[in-house]
């Protein structure tokens, strides 16, 4: 009996003292019951989330409501939206909350509060509130608190995932001395964080990723003595991290990645011995990684990727025994990779040093050299290993993989490594990703791939493998998501590429081999297919028109450089997702079919070097997203339609050279604001060059950045397909791809254009290549051509231009190719570093004199048969005389003598300076 009595007393004491006991004793307070019932009646609850809230039933028994066992006050209210439901719960007013005077914990997740604009004022009337969480509640406004706030008891504040706040963080948030945790992530807050002072002395966690603060890291943040978690990923933090900090030694997690930080990593970071996670990736940090990093004895995660860090990899990193994740890719690290592994115990756990805790090691996209150390094979816990795109060389053997039983992801392409393993090698791992493009693994097909039952991503491109692809490997295609066999010596036919519909969006690259036969059929979920530069033959009908399972998801189709023939079939309605279509360098005939008008997502069209004919394809009028149209070297005829200049607002490359187009150039071409490459050469266009040609604004921009056209890298697998253009410049044809965004060209050569060169062309200050040769142009060269400062190539030959070469030509310091031959130009060739360096052939067929020609001008400074034009002064003539005297003296004795006498013999070279 005594035991039973004691037990009852203990139970009673527990009930009376534990205010958050799960089972409610008593009935909910009447005013609070009424407040919650009011909410129940007024709330928009289409998914019936509050179904347990039965009016008349004790509210303490409702789901998400917890009451104090003694006072019967509601102390916890939790309302959240089930993600599997289709519609949000919406609360338009929070006034009812003021009745819950003892509320300590308020949590709302994915509840629509977009119309509850006064929520800060209501919350301010809850004096006992300790935890406030309004996660993803569609808040778009934080009204200021005009009176003193009443949040002194608040310890946790979470406003994250309210994406439309678009305002500065309210000041009262930074004056909560008891606040322990503050989460403002993904709210689109704008404007700087306050410089201080603030009152957040108890704060241990501050998260504010996904905002637009656009300011430096505030000093007060680094003076918070209790701070343990600081997460500002992608929040617009910029500039230098302060070189000094306060007593921030308790820091455990620091994430400042995806910002705009620059300069070096401050040394105080290396003194945070409790630091477990350091994430500074995707910034512009530079300098070296200090050996002081060895002080971070508790570190498990280091991410310094995608910065500009340089120098050698500090081998002391390998002594961090708890390190599980090391990401250093995308920097400028150099030196021998062996340095990272030059101590036998590196990357082995403390204290036994016989096992490794490292599961992720990423060193890709650096400048590391040397051979891959065999000690890598001892990292028994390694799952993810990247040495992609370095300068490694040497031999890799089975020993390098001896204990890598957990290896799943191996990224090692773009190195000069040789794999030497036995033909019967069975790796100890089961990888899903094996990227070794650029290695020497040939000439035999790697049979060990047959043992990889989970393989999904394979790159053995440019691996010197030859022969037929084994049947068992083609059978793996059902599980493959990336297959890159390009740039080898494979032969034979390619069977049907059949992939599992659950395998995502497969990418297939078989380019630059010797595959033959018809184009293989593919599954509908394949998104990229590159079969270019092989020997595939026959037509396209079987491939394009055998759509048995509805529309295809293919976005990139590259069949260029094969032996395809016949007409292009009218079956494009089955391929509406196409973004890139390349059929160049084949033997296709006929006109473009009408069904191509469904390709409204098309970005790039390349049909160069076929035998296609007919007028400019009207089926392209609906393809308004095109960046590139290349119809060169076909047999298209007729006039260019006016809509060509109106329907393609983002067209960058237009190449129509070597066809049979005729008629006048439509004025609407001037509307192509993004055009950088215009090639209309070798047609029979007539009439004048449009006066508005200077309106091509992308040719006006002098300085371009490679990032200007990031959309031109079409492939998901970076580097496989970058937009390119074949451009004739400097007398030769070049292919521009990686620097296409930087190049501009205009070529209207070999037509029947007449009239003068429009003065507006000189507005194209960003033009690099300019060719109007072999036309019937008359008039003078625009006098201000010298303002086109980045011109590299100018060809105006074989026209009927007359007058002087403009003096402004002398300011074209980037000019490396010039052809003004076979015109009616006269007078003296302007003096400049560039012009005198060209071959005399560049000026032949005119009435010009002066270097580089061996035809001299008159001794008195007058140019034969030349009258000065308006604007030319006698002072210019005198200057030219004396400048020429100085150059003549430096050239030769005859130059000096020639200034005193001249002879009129046609068979004698006469120098007059």
């Amino acid at each position: 009996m005594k035991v039973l009595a004691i037990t009852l007393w203990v139970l009673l004491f527990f009930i009376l003292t534990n205010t958050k006991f799960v089972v409610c004793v008593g009935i909910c307070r009447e005013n609070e019951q009424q407040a919650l019932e009011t909410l129940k009646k007024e709330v928009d609850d289409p998914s019936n989330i509050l179904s347990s809230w039965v009016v008349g039933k004790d509210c303490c028994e409702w789901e998400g409501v917890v009451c104090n066992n003694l006072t019967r006050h509601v102390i916890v209210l939790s309302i959240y939206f089930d993600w599997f439901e289709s519609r949000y719960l919406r609360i338009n007013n929070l006034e009812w909350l003021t009745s819950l005077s003892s509320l300590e914990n308020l949590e709302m997740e994915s509840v629509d509060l977009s119309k509850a604009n006064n929520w800060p004022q209501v919350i301010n009337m809850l004096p006992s509130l300790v935890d406030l969480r309004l996660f993803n509640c569609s808040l778009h406004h934080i009204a200021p608190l005009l009176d003193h706030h009443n949040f002194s008891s608040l310890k946790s504040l979470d406003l994250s995932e309210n994406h439309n706040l678009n305002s500065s963080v309210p000041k009262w948030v930074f004056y909560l001395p008891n606040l322990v945790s503050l989460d403002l992530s993904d709210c689109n807050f704008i404007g700087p964080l306050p410089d201080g002072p603030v009152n957040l002395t108890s704060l241990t966690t501050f998260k504010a990723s996904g905002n637009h603060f656009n300011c430096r890291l505030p000093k007060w943040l680094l003076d918070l003595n209790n701070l343990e978690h600081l997460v500002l990923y992608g929040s617009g933090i910029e500039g230098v991290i302060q070189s000094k900090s306060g007593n921030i030694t308790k820091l455990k997690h620091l994430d400042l990645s995806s910002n705009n930080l620059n300069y070096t990593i401050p040394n105080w970071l290396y003194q945070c011995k409790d630091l477990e996670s350091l994430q500074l990736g995707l910034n512009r940090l530079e300098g070296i990684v200090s050996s002081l990093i060895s002080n971070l004895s508790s570190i498990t995660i280091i991410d310094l990727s995608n910065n500009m860090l340089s120098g050698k990899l500090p081998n002391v990193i390998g002594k961090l025994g708890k390190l599980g994740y090391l990401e250093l890719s995308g920097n400028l690290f150099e030196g021998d990779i062996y340095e990272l592994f030059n101590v036998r115990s590196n990357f082995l756990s403390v204290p036994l040093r016989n096992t490794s805790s490292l599961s992720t090691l990423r060193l890709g996209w650096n400048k590391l050299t040397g051979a891959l150390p065999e000690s890598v094979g001892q990292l028994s816990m390694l799952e993810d290993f990247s040495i992609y795109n370095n300068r490694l060389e040497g031999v890799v053997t089975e020993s390098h993989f001896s204990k890598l039983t957990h290896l799943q992801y191996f990224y090692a392409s773009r190195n000069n490594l040789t794999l030497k393993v036995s033909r019967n090698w069975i790796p100890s791992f089961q990888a899903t990703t094996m990227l070794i493009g650029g290695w020497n693994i040939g000439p035999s097909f790697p049979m060990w791939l047959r043992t990889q039952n989970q393989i999904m991503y394979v790159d053995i491109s440019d691996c010197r493998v030859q022969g037929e692809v084994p049947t068992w490997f083609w059978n793996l295609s059902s599980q493959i998501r990336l297959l890159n066999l390009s740039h080898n010596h494979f032969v034979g036919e390619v069977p049907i590429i059949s992939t599992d519909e659950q395998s995502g969006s497969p990418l297939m690259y078989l380019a630059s081999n010797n595959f033959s036969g018809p184009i293989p059929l593919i599954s509908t979920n394949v998104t990229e297919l590159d079969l270019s530069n092989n020997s595939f033959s026959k037509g396209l009908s079987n491939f394009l028109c055998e759509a048995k399972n509805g529309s295809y998801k293919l976005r990139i189709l590259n069949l260029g450089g094969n032996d395809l023939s016949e007409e292009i079939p009218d079956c494009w309605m089955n391929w509406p997702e196409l973004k890139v279509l390349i059929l160049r360098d084949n033997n296709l005939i006929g006109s473009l079919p009408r069904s191509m008008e469904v390709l409204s997502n098309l970005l790039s069209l390349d049909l160069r070097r076929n035998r296609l004919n007919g007028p400019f394809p009207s089926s392209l009028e609906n393809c308004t997203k095109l960046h590139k149209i290349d119809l060169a070297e076909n047999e298209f005829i007729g006039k260019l339609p006016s809509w060509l200049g109106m329907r393609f607002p983002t067209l960058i490359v237009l190449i129509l050279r070597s066809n049979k187009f005729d008629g006048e150039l439509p004025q609407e071409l001037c509307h192509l604001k993004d055009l950088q490459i215009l090639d209309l050469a070798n047609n029979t266009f007539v009439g004048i060059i449009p006066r508005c040609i200077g309106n091509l604004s992308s040719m006006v921009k002098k300085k371009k950045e490679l990032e200007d056209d990031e959309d031109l890298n079409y492939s998901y697998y970076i580097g496989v397909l970058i937009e390119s253009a074949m451009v004739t410049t400097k007398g030769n044809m070049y292919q521009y791809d990686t620097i296409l965004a930087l190049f501009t060209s205009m070529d209207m050569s070999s037509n029947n254009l007449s009239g003068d060169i429009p003065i507006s062309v000189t507005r194209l200050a960003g033009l690099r290549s300019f060719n109007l040769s072999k036309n019937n142009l008359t008039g003078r060269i625009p006098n201000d051509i010298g303002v086109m400062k980045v011109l590299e190539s100018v060809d105006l030959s074989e026209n009927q231009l007359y007058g002087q070469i403009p003096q402004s030509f002398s300011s074209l310091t980037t000019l490396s190719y010039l052809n003004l031959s076979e015109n009616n130009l006269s007078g003296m060739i302007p003096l400049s570093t560039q012009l005198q360096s060209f071959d005399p052939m560049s000026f032949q067929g005119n009435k010009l004199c002066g270097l580089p020609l061996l035809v001299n001008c008159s001794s008195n400074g007058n140019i034969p048969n030349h009258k000065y034009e308006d604007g030319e002064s006698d002072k210019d003539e005198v200057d030219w005389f004396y400048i020429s005297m100085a150059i003549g003296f430096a050239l030769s004795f005859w130059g000096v003598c020639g200034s005193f006498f001249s002879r009129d013999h046609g068979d004698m070279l006469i120098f007059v300076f």
Side-chain angles (χ1 to χ4, degrees):
M1 290 296 292
K2 288 183 178 180
V3 173
L4 179 60
I6 292 172
T7 302
L8 291 173
W9 275 109
V10 170
L11 179 61
L12 179 61
F13 176 79
F14 181 79
I15 292 174
L16 293 175
T17 57
N18 187 354
T19 60
K20 292 186 180 180
F21 188 60
V22 174
V23 179
C24 246
V25 177
I27 302 174
C28 181
R29 292 266 182 166
E30 182 178 358
N31 65 322
E32 297 181 9
Q33 174 91 24
Q34 292 175 353
L36 293 177
E37 286 182 356
T38 299
L39 169 63
K40 169 67 175 178
K41 294 176 182 177
E42 296 180 356
V43 72
D44 184 4
D45 187 11
S47 299
N48 206 21
I49 294 171
L50 302 182
S51 58
S52 68
W53 291 27
V54 178
V55 175
K57 185 178 179 181
D58 184 8
C59 73
C60 292
E61 299 180 6
W62 292 357
E63 183 179 349
V65 179
V66 177
C67 298
N68 183 289
N69 291 307
L70 294 179
T71 66
R72 293 171 291 143
H73 282 296
V74 175
I75 57 175
V76 176
L77 179 60
S78 178
I79 303 175
Y80 64 92
F81 168 72
D82 190 341
W83 286 101
F84 293 101
E85 301 290 346
S86 58
R87 300 174 66 185
Y88 273 51
L89 179 147
R90 181 179 292 106
I91 299 176
N92 295 331
N93 193 311
L94 293 176
E95 293 290 346
W96 50 272
L97 266 175
T98 58
S99 298
L100 308 182
S101 58
S102 298
L103 192 66
E104 298 177 11
N105 187 314
L106 174 60
E107 178 181 6
M108 293 189 183
E109 179 175 331
S110 301
V111 175
D112 187 352
L113 298 178
S114 59
K115 294 186 178 180
N117 292 329
N118 65 336
W119 67 267
Q121 286 76 15
V122 173
I123 300 299
N124 197 33
M125 300 174 68
L126 301 175
S128 301
L129 196 64
V130 174
D131 299 307
L132 173 62
R133 185 169 187 262
L134 301 178
F135 174 86
N136 190 29
C137 287
S138 302
L139 301 176
H140 61 82
H141 179 67
I142 302 181
L145 296 174
L146 301 179
D147 300 324
H148 183 72
H149 69 77
N150 193 27
F151 295 141
S152 58
S153 60
L154 203 62
K155 292 184 177 181
S156 176
L157 175 60
D158 184 352
L159 301 178
S160 60
E161 299 291 338
N162 288 287
H163 302 288
N164 297 313
L165 283 172
N166 298 316
S167 63
S168 59
V169 182
K171 292 182 179 180
W172 57 263
V173 170
F174 300 102
Y175 293 90
L176 302 172
N178 292 316
L179 198 67
V180 174
S181 177
L182 175 60
D183 194 343
L184 305 176
S185 303
D186 298 303
C187 289
N188 277 320
F189 281 120
I190 58 176
L193 291 168
D195 292 330
V198 300
N199 191 356
L200 293 170
T201 53
S202 302
L203 198 68
T204 65
T205 299
F206 181 41
K207 299 179 180 180
S209 299
N211 290 289
H212 306 282
F213 297 128
N214 299 326
C215 68
R216 296 182 64 172
L217 196 66
K219 184 179 182 300
W220 58 262
L221 261 178
L222 305 180
D223 291 333
L224 297 176
N225 296 344
N226 295 307
L227 194 64
E228 297 180 3
H229 303 265
L230 177 57
V231 181
L232 293 172
Y233 171 95
S235 57
I237 301 298
E238 57 191 32
V240 178
I241 303 176
Q242 287 87 341
S243 59
K244 295 182 180 180
S245 70
N247 188 21
I248 196 172
T249 56
K250 295 181 181 180
L251 196 63
K252 293 182 178 180
H253 301 278
L254 176 63
D255 188 350
L256 300 178
S257 52
S258 293
N259 283 293
N260 197 24
L261 296 170
N262 53 34
Y263 201 53
T264 59
I265 300 173
N267 282 341
W268 63 262
L269 263 177
Y270 302 124
Q271 308 304 321
C272 298
K273 295 185 178 181
D274 292 332
L275 197 63
E276 298 174 9
S277 175
L278 174 62
Q279 295 171 271
L280 300 176
L282 288 163
N283 280 286
R284 295 190 295 121
L285 296 170
E286 55 191 38
I288 64 170
V289 177
S290 171
S291 59
L292 293 174
I293 199 170
S294 61
N295 293 333
L296 304 181
S297 55
S298 301
I299 201 79
T300 61
I301 296 174
I302 296 177
D303 184 356
L304 305 177
S305 62
N306 297 296
N307 280 285
M308 296 183 288
L309 298 169
S310 57
K312 294 183 178 181
L313 296 174
N315 57 23
V316 294
I317 292 181
K319 298 182 181 298
L320 301 173
K322 296 181 180 181
L323 190 62
Y325 184 101
L326 178 59
E327 167 66 287
L328 302 176
S329 60
N331 280 288
L332 303 171
F333 291 119
E334 55 190 5
D336 199 318
I337 192 174
Y338 178 76
E339 293 293 324
L340 197 60
F341 301 90
N342 68 356
V343 179
R344 183 175 179 83
S345 60
N346 271 9
F347 297 112
L348 299 180
S349 297
V350 178
L352 298 178
R353 291 286 184 187
N354 57 5
T355 59
S356 168
S357 58
L358 196 66
S359 62
T360 297
L361 176 58
R362 295 178 182 169
L363 307 173
W365 296 93
N366 281 288
K367 299 179 179 180
L368 300 176
T369 58
L372 190 66
E374 282 192 10
S375 55
V376 169
Q378 303 302 309
L379 303 178
S380 57
M381 300 303 293
L382 198 62
E383 299 177 8
D384 186 335
F385 184 31
S386 174
I387 50 175
Y388 197 94
N389 196 37
N390 276 283
R391 300 171 181 176
L392 304 181
E393 54 188 5
V395 176
V396 177
T397 67
E398 297 175 21
S399 299
H400 289 81
F401 302 95
S402 57
K403 293 185 179 180
L404 303 186
T405 55
H406 291 84
L407 187 65
Q408 295 186 49
Y409 313 100
F410 187 48
Y411 307 91
S413 297
R414 301 190 183 183
N415 285 286
N416 190 25
L417 294 166
T418 298
L419 182 64
K420 285 190 177 180
V421 295
S422 67
R423 183 171 177 80
N424 298 321
W425 179 48
I426 300 178
S428 59
F429 53 80
Q430 283 291 320
T432 60
T433 301
M434 183 61 59
L435 309 184
I436 54 175
W439 288 35
N440 181 5
I441 67 172
S444 301
F445 195 88
M447 299 302 292
W448 52 269
L449 279 174
R450 192 172 190 176
T451 68
Q452 302 301 294
N453 300 322
Q454 307 300 320
I455 199 74
M456 291 189 291
Y457 303 90
V458 179
D459 182 357
I460 55 171
S461 61
D462 194 20
C463 283
R464 308 180 195 179
V465 185
Q466 60 188 33
E468 292 193 2
V469 178
T471 302
W472 60 262
F473 186 79
W474 289 127
N475 291 338
L476 289 176
S477 64
S478 61
Q479 67 191 52
I480 292 292
R481 298 185 182 182
L482 165 67
L483 176 60
N484 193 349
L485 304 181
S486 59
H487 298 280
N488 282 291
H489 304 284
F490 291 119
V491 298
E493 295 191 6
V494 178
I496 295 174
I497 300 176
S498 178
T499 59
D500 189 340
E501 294 296 329
Q502 305 301 317
S503 64
S505 304
L507 317 173
M508 301 289 173
Y509 310 120
L510 310 181
S512 299
N513 283 284
N514 294 312
F515 289 120
S516 57
I519 300 294
L521 301 180
I522 61 173
S523 297
T524 56
N525 63 329
V526 174
T527 56
E528 298 184 17
L529 180 63
D530 187 353
L531 304 178
S532 61
N533 300 315
N534 280 284
S535 299
F536 291 108
S537 57
K538 300 184 179 179
L540 291 170
S541 296
N542 189 53
F543 174 78
L544 290 175
C545 303
E546 288 294 320
K548 298 179 179 179
N549 299 311
S551 295
Y552 286 76
K553 297 180 181 178
L554 195 67
R555 294 196 295 264
I556 295 177
L557 176 60
N558 188 353
L559 302 178
N562 282 286
D563 297 322
L564 301 174
S565 57
E566 304 177 5
E567 294 188 356
I568 299 176
D570 197 12
C571 298
W572 295 98
M573 66 288 294
N574 302 319
W575 308 84
E577 302 297 322
L578 267 180
K579 293 186 176 181
V580 178
L581 176 59
I582 303 175
L583 300 175
R584 59 179 300 158
D585 295 302
N586 281 287
N587 296 305
L588 299 170
I589 61 174
S591 59
L592 267 60
R594 189 68 190 175
S595 62
M596 290 188 76
E597 65 185 4
V598 306
L599 305 181
S600 58
N601 293 307
L602 201 61
L603 301 176
S604 181
L605 176 65
D606 192 341
L607 304 177
R608 172 185 287 260
R609 237 180 259 125
N610 281 281
R611 291 187 291 141
L612 300 168
N613 57 41
F616 190 91
S618 59
S619 53
L620 299 183
E621 188 173 0
N622 196 42
C623 305
T624 57
K625 298 179 182 178
L626 276 165
H627 294 327
K628 170 184 170 180
I629 299 174
D630 189 344
L631 307 181
E633 300 183 54
N634 280 284
E635 299 171 8
F636 290 105
I637 61 172
K639 298 180 179 180
L640 296 183
S642 59
W643 54 261
L644 175 58
M646 306 295 290
R647 300 290 292 170
F648 306 114
T650 59
L651 193 64
I652 297 171
V653 177
L654 177 60
I655 303 178
L656 306 178
R657 73 180 295 121
S658 300
N659 280 282
K660 299 177 182 178
F661 290 116
D662 57 28
E664 296 185 354
L665 297 179
Q667 295 285 325
E668 287 79 6
L669 285 178
C670 301
H671 294 289
L672 298 173
K673 303 295 185 183
D674 287 350
L675 199 64
Q676 291 182 211
I677 309 293
L678 174 61
D679 189 347
L680 306 177
N682 296 314
N683 284 283
T684 54
F685 291 114
V686 298
I688 63 171
I689 299 172
R691 307 289 96 178
C692 57
I693 199 70
N695 293 342
L696 299 176
S697 52
S698 276
M699 297 185 186
V700 174
K701 187 177 180 181
K702 288 183 181 180
K703 185 177 180 181
K704 296 176 179 291
E705 304 291 343
L706 283 173
E707 293 79 9
D708 287 353
D709 291 299
E710 291 180 350
D711 291 341
L712 300 184
N713 197 332
Y714 297 125
S715 177
Y716 179 82
Y717 193 48
I718 295 175
V720 168
L721 183 60
I722 302 173
E723 185 60 278
S724 64
M726 298 297 297
V727 179
T728 300
T729 181
K730 303 179 184 179
N732 292 292
M733 183 170 286
Y734 301 92
Q735 177 169 311
Y736 288 86
D737 40 44
T738 55
I739 61 169
L740 178 60
L742 305 179
F743 195 74
T744 50
S745 172
M746 180 184 293
D747 191 344
M748 300 183 186
S749 62
S750 299
N751 281 284
N752 293 319
L753 297 173
S754 57
D756 59 1
I757 300 174
I759 296 176
S760 66
V761 78
T762 60
R763 293 207 298 265
L764 306 180
L767 194 62
R768 295 182 180 273
S769 180
F770 185 41
N771 191 346
L772 299 179
S773 65
K774 299 179 182 178
N775 279 286
N776 298 311
L777 297 174
T778 58
R780 302 177 186 275
I781 300 174
N783 205 42
D784 291 334
I785 195 170
V787 301
M788 303 169 74
K789 296 292 187 181
V790 297
L791 271 177
E792 300 171 10
S793 176
V794 175
D795 191 345
L796 304 178
S797 63
E798 298 187 50
N799 280 286
Q800 300 172 38
L801 301 172
Y802 59 82
Q804 281 190 286
I805 299 175
Q807 191 67 36
S808 64
F809 252 109
S810 61
S811 62
L812 297 178
T813 57
T814 60
L815 198 63
S816 59
Y817 180 89
L818 175 65
N819 192 350
L820 302 178
S821 64
E822 305 301 332
N823 278 286
N824 295 317
L825 299 171
S826 60
M828 186 178 293
I829 297 173
L831 182 66
S832 77
T833 304
Q834 300 298 108
L835 297 183
Q836 275 64 51
S837 68
F838 292 119
D839 191 296
M841 298 288 288
S842 298
F843 302 96
Q844 73 174 9
N846 289 286
K847 300 174 183 178
L848 297 168
C849 63
L851 292 176
L853 296 177
L854 299 181
V855 178
N856 63 308
C857 302
S858 63
S859 60
N860 59 5
N862 292 323
I863 302 170
N865 302 317
H866 170 66
K867 294 182 179 180
Y868 286 103
E869 298 177 14
D870 293 341
E872 296 187 67
S873 68
D874 291 338
K875 183 177 181 300
D876 294 332
E877 178 184 347
V878 174
D879 289 344
W880 170 249
F881 177 76
Y882 287 109
I883 292 171
S884 301
M885 279 186 63
I887 294 174
F889 182 84
L891 286 174
S892 70
F893 170 79
W894 285 108
V896 178
C897 296
S899 66
F900 297 101
F901 63 91
S902 63
R903 297 182 182 176
D904 215 3
H905 297 287
D907 59 347
M908 178 175 290
L909 298 178
I910 304 174
F911 297 90
V912 180
F913 301 103

